[in-house]
């Protein structure tokens, strides 16, 4: 049933947009503004797409935007489905699977995340080099449909190396250009590589948990991305992951963590974030 659902969603999207979409982008909390950058855009509310759930979180618009960035046709998920909202993993993975069946080969996953590394401050971005699945389950648990991929998918390289290079080159160029223009001297190292630890949420972590995840090798924690990255690799899509560091993780700053802060930081980095995505998309053919 899952395959048929994803195929139906893909057919529906195809009937609304004729462009050949090779790249899809999932926008995380507070990062939705990138969808406004698309030209000749059409917007499809999730409730119209067969099989799609509704996005219930503030800061997630809940629509699919299709259009162009420069010459490149893209599909942008303005808002995603999270496990903590109560959706089962099939629903969380459905959009990525629909993209795969639509012909998408490149997937950019973005999210808001807490930093476990005091060198990585709020307002910076983290290039996800690998992840820890600490969500308490694996999204592919259950019968395998081999039309999606193998029973035991390899996870040696979840995050595409070449895409990481595109991102690092683009970040370097942006930082240099901003510095030259005297715009922001603190932007020099705004994109750091790190390990993203995916948790189920919806609570933020305790300080003891953060110490544990740090010992396990995490650089940032968040409540998304891992299921979508796994679904994408199952289908053989190439994945890029970027976290917007919105806060220092629990116990690190003496402050409490709240969703408003997460949203505000997203808005603060929007300009640089949009420019970074624009340049990366242009390289991903
Ligand atoms: N923990 C988990 N998820 C998050 C955080 C955090 O500190 N910040 C943004 N998303």
């Amino acid at each position: 049933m899952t395959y048929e659902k994803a195929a139906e969603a893909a057919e529906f999207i195809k009937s609304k947009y004729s462009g050949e979409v090779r790249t899809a982008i999932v926008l995380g909390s507070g990062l939705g503004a990138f969808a406004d950058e698309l030209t000749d855009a059409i917007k499809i509310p999730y409730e119209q797409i067969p099989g799609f759930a509704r996005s219930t979180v503030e800061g997630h618009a809940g629509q699919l935007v299709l259009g162009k960035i420069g010459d490149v046709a893209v599909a942008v998920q303005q808002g995603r489905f999270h496990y903590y909202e109560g959706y089962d993993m099939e629903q969380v993975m459905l959009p990525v699977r629909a993209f795969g069946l639509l012909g998408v080969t490149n997937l950019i996953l973005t999210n808001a995340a807490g930093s476990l590394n005091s060198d990585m401050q709020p307002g910076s971005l983290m290039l996800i080099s690998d992840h820890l699945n600490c969500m308490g389950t694996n999204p592919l648990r259950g019968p395998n449909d081999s039309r999606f991929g193998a029973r035991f998918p390899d996870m040696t390289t979840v995050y595409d190396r070449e895409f990481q290079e595109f991102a690092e080159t683009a970040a370097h160029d942006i930082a240099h250009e901003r510095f030259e223009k005297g715009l922001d001297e603190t932007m020099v190292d705004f994109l750091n590589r790190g390990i993203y630890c995916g948790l189920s949420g919806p609570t933020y972590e305790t300080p003891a948990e953060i110490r544990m995840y740090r010992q396990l090798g995490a650089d940032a924690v968040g409540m998304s991305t891992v299921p979508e990255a796994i679904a994408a690799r199952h289908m053989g899509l190439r994945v890029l992951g970027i976290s917007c560091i919105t806060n220092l993780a629990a116990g690190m700053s003496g402050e409490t963590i709240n969703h408003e802060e997460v949203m505000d930081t997203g808005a603060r980095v929007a300009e640089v974030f949009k420019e970074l995505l624009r340049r990366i998309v242009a390289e991903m053919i």
Side-chain angles (χ1 to χ4, degrees), residues 180-257:
E180 296 271 286
K181 286 187 196 150
L183 272 176
D184 196 346
E185 295 179 24
T186 62
M187 291 296 302
V188 173
D189 279 321
F190 72 88
L191 185 73
N192 304 283
R193 260 172 200 250
I195 309 289
Y196 177 87
C197 178
L199 303 165
S200 73
T203 57
Y204 292 114
E205 302 69 38
T206 64
E209 286 164 347
I210 289 302
R211 288 192 294 276
M212 174 180 76
Y213 292 126
R214 190 184 291 115
Q215 290 233 354
L216 294 179
D219 295 297
V221 283
M223 305 176 194
S224 67
T225 301
V226 166
E228 292 136 310
I230 290 174
R233 289 307 297 147
H234 190 214
M235 295 181 84
L237 307 194
R238 299 173 71 186
V239 179
L240 176 73
I242 300 175
S243 295
C244 171
I245 300 299
T246 55
N247 56 279
L248 290 172
M252 289 178 66
S253 68
E255 313 266 322
T256 59
I257 301 164

Side-chain angles (χ1 to χ4, degrees), residues 80-143:
R80 58 151 56 86
F81 306 116
H82 302 84
Y83 190 52
Y84 66 73
E85 290 174 90
Y87 301 123
D88 58 38
M89 285 294 191
E90 301 277 316
Q91 287 171 298
V92 174
M93 292 189 291
L94 184 90
V96 167
R97 289 177 152 174
F99 294 149
L101 298 181
L102 193 65
V104 163
T105 54
N106 311 323
L107 180 68
I108 305 178
L109 297 171
T110 72
N111 59 53
S115 171
L116 275 65
N117 177 340
S118 49
D119 289 340
M120 236 167 39
Q121 287 289 320
S124 67
L125 301 177
M126 187 183 89
L127 179 62
I128 303 178
S129 58
D130 204 350
H131 72 222
L132 294 169
N133 177 11
C134 294
M135 300 192 89
T137 186
N138 189 295
L140 298 181
R141 177 175 174 271

